[in-house]
């Protein structure tokens, strides 16, 4: 498994997303087993949010991780923008910790930019970090203008990561945000890295270049999409799956080394933007 360095913390480059998990009784056991399979096979970064199923995602993770050594995991959760004020944020965190059955998060993210002044949001996240209930804090759905503002407020530079939508079919942030983050050593957490597969990204895998490169690596198109997302050694991808087979394929994608030739062909098939694009958000 390819390991990335997240501001001094080593994390396997493929983790797991958990949106929509834990709410359906019929699939609960299968989803729990898939999370456990992922952890056992190296996908130890787990992304969730208080928003997901209004706590159901955090609850199923809490159930799944019982029995795993806590230090083996990198748990990421997020608070609603309307919980960005001091008291609400602390309460939101306590509720997330309770649902997850843990006493700390590795990373706590401001889910998307809201109305609370950014200097206050940062001060509140810093205060939580000082209590030890979160190891690090970060942001999500921030575009370059938001990141520039973030770096201008006290302690803004302590941001660990920014989580944005990024995949080969949606590479608007390649124009400005991603090069800027690399330059400032702020890693990306790429959500929807396979563009939600059949829901949104079904058309992407119909691409002949992608299929040819996949067959060259004896891989699936989705695995090539993941290998491409994590190609810079600076990005954590968090694909979501309910299937142990797909979980294994996703984990294995971290071992695919795309060649310069592959990358050039993929750039031709899925060109980099040549102008500013609005931030893609789901
Ligand atoms: N910060 C934010 O605002 C934000 C927004 C959206 C999402 N997220 C996070 O990012 C995570 C991932 O994003 P996402 O769930 O929207 O999209 P995604 O991971 O790109 O796509 C998930 C879909 O892809 C399929 N899939 C996964 N691996 C596959 C494989 N190897 N082969 C074929 N199909 C595969 C899954 O179906 P199967 O179950 O059949 O495998 C599922 O339908 C979320 O779970 C959430 O944690 C964050």
């Amino acid at each position: 498994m390819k390991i990335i360095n997240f501001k001094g913390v080593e994390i396997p480059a493929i983790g797991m997303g958990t949106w929509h998990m834990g709410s359906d009784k019929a699939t609960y056991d299968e989803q729990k087993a898939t999370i456990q399979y992922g952890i056992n096979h190296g996908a130890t970064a787990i992304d969730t949010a208080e928003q997901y199923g209004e706590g159901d995602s955090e609850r199923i993770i809490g159930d799944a991780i019982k029995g795993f050594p806590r230090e083996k995991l990198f748990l990421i959760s997020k608070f609603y923008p309307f919980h960005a004020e001091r008291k609400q944020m602390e309460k939101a965190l306590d509720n997330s910790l309770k649902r997850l059955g843990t006493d700390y998060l590795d990373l706590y993210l401001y889910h998307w930019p809201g109305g609370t002044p950014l200097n206050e949001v940062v001060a509140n996240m810093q205060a939580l970090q000082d209590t030890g209930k979160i190891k690090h804090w970060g942001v999500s759905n921030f575009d370059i203008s938001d990141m520039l503002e973030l770096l201008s407020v006290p302690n803004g530079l302590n941001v660990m990561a920014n989580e944005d939508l990024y995949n080969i079919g949606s590479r608007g942030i390649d124009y400005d945000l991603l090069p800027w983050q690399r330059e400032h050593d702020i890693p990306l957490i790429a959500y929807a890295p396979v563009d939600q597969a059949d829901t949104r990204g079904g058309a992407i895998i119909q691409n002949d270049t992608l299929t040819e490169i996949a067959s060259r690596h004896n891989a699936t198109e989705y695995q090539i999409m993941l290998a491409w997302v994590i190609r810079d050694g600076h990005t954590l991808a968090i694909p979501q799956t309910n299937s142990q087979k797909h979980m294994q394929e996703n984990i294995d994608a971290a071992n695919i080394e795309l060649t310069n030739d592959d990358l050039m062909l993929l750039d031709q098939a899925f060109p980099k933007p040549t102008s500013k694009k609005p931030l893609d958000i789901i």
Side-chain angles (χ1 to χ4, degrees):
M1 168 65 93
K2 181 175 186 174
I3 302 290
I4 50 168
N5 190 310
F6 241 51
K7 293 211 159 182
V9 183
E10 299 207 317
I11 311 177
I14 301 279
M16 64 174 96
T18 62
W19 197 12
H20 304 306
M21 290 180 105
S23 297
D24 179 3
K25 278 204 175 99
T27 52
Y28 186 95
D29 288 344
E30 195 184 339
Q31 291 181 341
K32 179 178 158 187
T34 303
I35 294 170
Q36 291 173 330
Y37 180 92
I39 297 169
N40 276 324
H41 292 81
T44 49
I46 307 177
D47 180 81
T48 183
E50 62 170 331
Q51 181 202 31
Y52 299 164
E54 292 302 327
D56 285 344
S57 161
E58 291 177 327
R59 276 184 211 100
I60 193 173
I61 294 167
D63 189 11
I65 64 177
K66 277 182 210 149
F68 285 97
R70 176 64 186 84
E71 65 280 6
K72 189 177 168 171
L73 308 170
F74 189 87
L75 293 182
I76 307 167
S77 194
K78 316 182 193 80
F79 57 92
Y80 278 118
F82 52 83
H83 287 159
E85 283 170 16
R86 179 72 59 106
K87 285 224 151 62
Q88 284 100 320
M89 197 191 291
E90 198 168 0
K91 191 167 165 210
L93 174 62
D94 286 343
N95 288 336
S96 286
L97 292 175
K98 203 165 162 193
R99 289 188 288 264
L100 286 161
T102 184
D103 54 5
Y104 72 92
L105 290 178
D106 295 279
L107 179 57
Y108 201 31
L109 302 179
Y110 182 31
H111 205 150
W112 63 87
T116 311
L118 203 46
N119 60 328
E120 279 180 38
V121 184
V122 170
N124 296 343
M125 292 191 290
Q126 271 306 135
L128 290 182
Q129 191 172 344
D130 292 342
T131 67
K133 289 183 191 174
I134 62 173
K135 298 272 186 215
H136 307 274
W137 61 263
V139 293
S140 178
N141 295 302
F142 267 41
D143 202 348
I144 187 133
S145 55
D146 308 303
M147 293 305 286
L148 290 171
E149 187 188 345
L150 179 64
L151 261 53
S152 75
V153 308
N155 291 316
L157 255 174
N158 293 341
V159 61
M160 188 192 219
N162 178 26
E163 178 170 317
D164 276 354
L165 193 159
Y166 184 57
N167 62 63
I168 202 162
S170 178
R171 49 183 310 195
I173 62 172
D174 270 332
Y175 179 69
D176 50 1
L177 178 65
L178 203 43
W180 181 91
Q181 285 195 206
R182 288 176 184 136
E183 196 184 309
H184 289 80
D185 191 26
I186 301 172
L188 177 76
I189 302 173
Y191 77 71
V194 295
D195 208 29
Q196 300 197 322
D198 297 337
T199 322
R200 265 171 58 107
I204 295 176
I205 63 159
Q206 306 304 325
N207 181 278
D208 289 345
T209 303
L210 196 55
T211 301
E212 189 192 314
I213 293 172
S215 87
R216 207 185 289 167
H217 288 275
N218 200 16
T220 70
E221 285 87 347
Y222 290 122
Q223 287 181 297
I224 299 300
M225 287 177 74
L226 288 173
W228 181 87
V229 163
I230 61 167
R231 69 199 179 286
D232 66 355
H234 206 243
T235 299
L236 167 69
I238 47 166
Q240 179 185 332
T241 179
N242 294 331
S243 133
Q244 293 187 26
K245 177 176 178 286
H246 288 169
M247 179 69 79
Q248 187 60 56
E249 287 173 4
N250 295 347
I251 291 166
D252 289 343
N255 298 323
I256 298 172
E257 285 294 338
L258 296 175
T259 63
N260 287 339
D261 191 40
D262 295 334
L263 292 172
M264 193 191 65
L265 290 170
L266 288 169
D267 265 344
Q268 282 167 6
F270 301 92
K272 250 189 216 177
T274 53
S275 60
K276 175 74 186 155
K277 304 282 174 223
L279 188 67
D280 208 353
I281 286 174
I282 295 178

